[in-house]
Amino acid sequence: MKLSISTLGCPDWGFDRVVQAFEDLGVDIEVRGVDGEMEAGRIARFSPARAQETKALLAAHGRKIVGFGTSCKFHDPAAQEENIRAGWEAAEVCARMGIPALRVFGNDIPDKARAAETIAFACQGIRKVCERAADKGVQTLLEVHGDFNTVEAMRLVAQEMAGAPGFGILWDVEHSDKTCGDDFLPFYAAVRPLLRHVHIKDYHRGENGQFTLCPVGEGDIPLPEIVRTLLRDGYDGYFSLEWEKKWVPSLAEPEEVFPAFVRYMRAL
């Protein structure tokens, strides 16, 4: 089992601390912000001037960066070109740093009656990122997020993205749980052929679609069943903790949550 943790969960840690702590935990690094900066082109440690220094630090601690989380969302026509350019920039940084994949979003479907049209439009932009990224040896992963979290949406995505170079799905189990609940197998079947990376998190389900994030294993998402299904079927990608401390500062501290995640996953 390959484990990683997103830097979203430790927004106050400097990169040196991240590398040392993740070595101690025995996990690799998923980047969603470094030294307070979220955009790929603005991260000083990933600049041409410092790239070799950063790669040497990672090598010294035996760590890898397994993915880069962009903020690119492709549902909005007014922002499409801006997000394509941001995706291209992220691909350039990933290629420079030897990061194998970048993450993008769909993300919203404002008019459900026009879902197929919105998904097709989003996929047009994502395909343009895929083509540029693949030329640089970088995969482009669409995260299950926002309204792109149903069986129907994933089937449409698979149709629209057929043949797109380096394209894959990042399955965020929180977002699919909002539509599938315990009956996750149909959703899994829809994403399985393109599945490249998995975000692990947990929450308590509430009424009217409300939920409360909690450490893994303490909530209602059927994590043991999901993880064991993936392992049984030969999934060999990363299980990555995305602890949303950056967005929800009141969440428990990474010093507590990160080791608990590793223990929980190893037990499975």
Side-chain angles (χ1 to χ4, degrees), residues 39-60:
E39 299 303 319
R42 297 177 182 176
I43 295 174
R45 288 178 179 272
F46 295 170
S47 67
R50 298 191 64 185
Q52 292 306 315
E53 170 197 342
T54 302
K55 288 194 280 189
L57 173 67
L58 291 163

Side-chain angles (χ1 to χ4, degrees), residues 31 35 59 62 81 83 97-98 118 134 168 191-193 235 242 261 264:
V31 169
D35 295 332
E81 291 303 317
N83 281 288
M97 297 305 302
T118 299
V191 301
R192 182 182 176 187
Y235 172 72
E242 188 180 53
F261 162 72
Y264 180 82

Side-chain angles (χ1 to χ4, degrees), residues 72-92:
C72 300
K73 301 179 178 69
F74 289 91
H75 64 275
D76 182 4
Q80 183 80 300
E81 291 303 317
E82 176 185 348
N83 281 288
I84 290 170
R85 288 193 296 271
W88 288 347
E89 181 178 49
E92 184 76 33

Side-chain angles (χ1 to χ4, degrees), residues 131-181:
E131 291 167 352
R132 180 77 64 91
D135 284 344
K136 299 178 180 297
V138 178
Q139 291 184 316
T140 302
L141 307 184
L142 172 65
E143 179 169 336
V144 173
H145 188 276
D147 294 325
F148 283 60
N149 69 337
T150 66
V151 172
E152 295 76 17
M154 288 298 102
R155 286 174 177 164
L156 287 170
V157 165
Q159 292 173 15
E160 293 290 340
M161 297 303 295
F167 176 75
I169 295 293
L170 188 163
W171 181 13
D172 185 305
V173 301
E174 173 199 338
H175 289 278
S176 62
D177 190 85
K178 293 173 182 177
T179 60
C180 300

Side-chain angles (χ1 to χ4, degrees), residues 226-242:
I226 290 172
V227 172
R228 288 172 178 147
T229 296
L230 287 164
L231 294 176
R232 180 199 67 206
D233 290 346
Y235 172 72
D236 63 355
Y238 277 85
F239 295 95
S240 190
L241 175 65
E242 188 180 53

